[in-house]
Amino acid sequence: MQEQRSEAVEIVLPRWEMLPDIGLYMDQVITLMERTFSPTLPKGEITKSMVNNYVKVGLIPRPTGKKYDREHLAILMMIGVLKQALNMESIAQLLVILCEESVRAGYARFCELVQAQEERMLQGHIDLSACEESPQEQALRAGIAAAVCTICARRLLDALQKK
């Protein structure tokens, strides 16, 4: 039973150092995103038109010479998880909070928070905030918890359908 719960929750996000350090063209970005999210999210969760829209609305910076770098990829990873439970306006607000210092620091923090939320869920806890946290921190934790819970619920329901 514990093993099934673990599989239902685990979201594997590559750490910053594992993201390609060379510019990728759009097709390569989509392939990377599908490979990264294939065990976590349904196929087609990140498409070319979505990425173009994210650029158009300023959610991610414009690519340099049609190539996307680590910062673009990290932001797309965060969007891919958060969009499971939040709208684009909410995601934009959380990205501002996360990436206040830098995208690299924000992505590292995001990965840590996702992992911590998964661990709490495995223990049967959903803790959205601590009393001493700022409203921004509470919103960040609640947004990540919502996304992780949504992903977990989808996985569990998919497993039930397969039985």
Side-chain angles (χ1 to χ4, degrees):
M1 180 69 170
Q2 182 69 18
E3 188 175 314
Q4 276 183 329
R5 284 177 66 194
S6 174
E7 290 173 13
V9 178
E10 188 177 24
I11 300 170
V12 180
L13 295 171
R15 297 301 188 217
W16 180 266
E17 297 76 23
M18 298 305 294
L19 295 173
D21 62 352
I22 58 170
L24 300 180
Y25 289 106
M26 178 69 81
D27 288 340
Q28 295 169 311
V29 169
I30 300 304
T31 300
L32 175 68
M33 299 304 285
E34 285 180 355
R35 286 183 182 166
T36 299
F37 287 127
S38 65
T40 304
L41 306 174
K43 190 174 175 129
E45 282 296 309
I46 300 282
T47 65
K48 291 178 186 183
S49 57
M50 287 178 191
V51 174
N52 288 330
N53 285 334
Y54 300 155
V55 171
K56 195 180 294 184
V57 300
L59 212 50
I60 64 172
R62 293 206 172 280
T64 307
K66 296 188 178 186
K67 289 188 176 182
Y68 296 82
D69 61 22
R70 275 184 174 162
E71 286 193 5
H72 294 104
L73 299 174
I75 294 169
L76 286 170
M77 296 284 176
M78 292 186 281
I79 292 170
V81 171
L82 292 171
K83 78 178 211 158
Q84 301 309 304
L86 302 173
N87 63 34
M88 285 303 128
E89 184 179 322
S90 298
I91 292 170
Q93 290 176 301
L94 292 182
L95 289 175
V96 168
I97 294 167
L98 275 166
C99 300
E100 184 176 22
E101 181 184 326
S102 71
V103 172
R104 182 178 186 162
Y107 182 67
R109 181 128 189 281
F110 180 80
C111 290
E112 290 169 12
L113 290 170
V114 167
Q115 185 176 6
Q117 182 61 44
E118 291 173 330
E119 289 170 8
R120 283 192 293 277
M121 284 183 65
L122 285 173
Q123 297 167 359
H125 302 204
I126 299 177
D127 181 19
L128 298 180
S129 64
C131 294
E132 67 277 357
E133 291 179 338
S134 70
Q136 292 90 348
E137 187 67 22
Q138 290 176 4
L140 182 59
R141 289 183 186 275
I144 290 171
V148 171
C149 288
T150 300
I151 292 166
C152 178
R154 285 185 183 157
R155 281 188 179 173
L156 290 168
L157 290 169
D158 287 346
L160 286 172
Q161 282 185 334
K162 290 177 184 175
K163 285 186 176 183

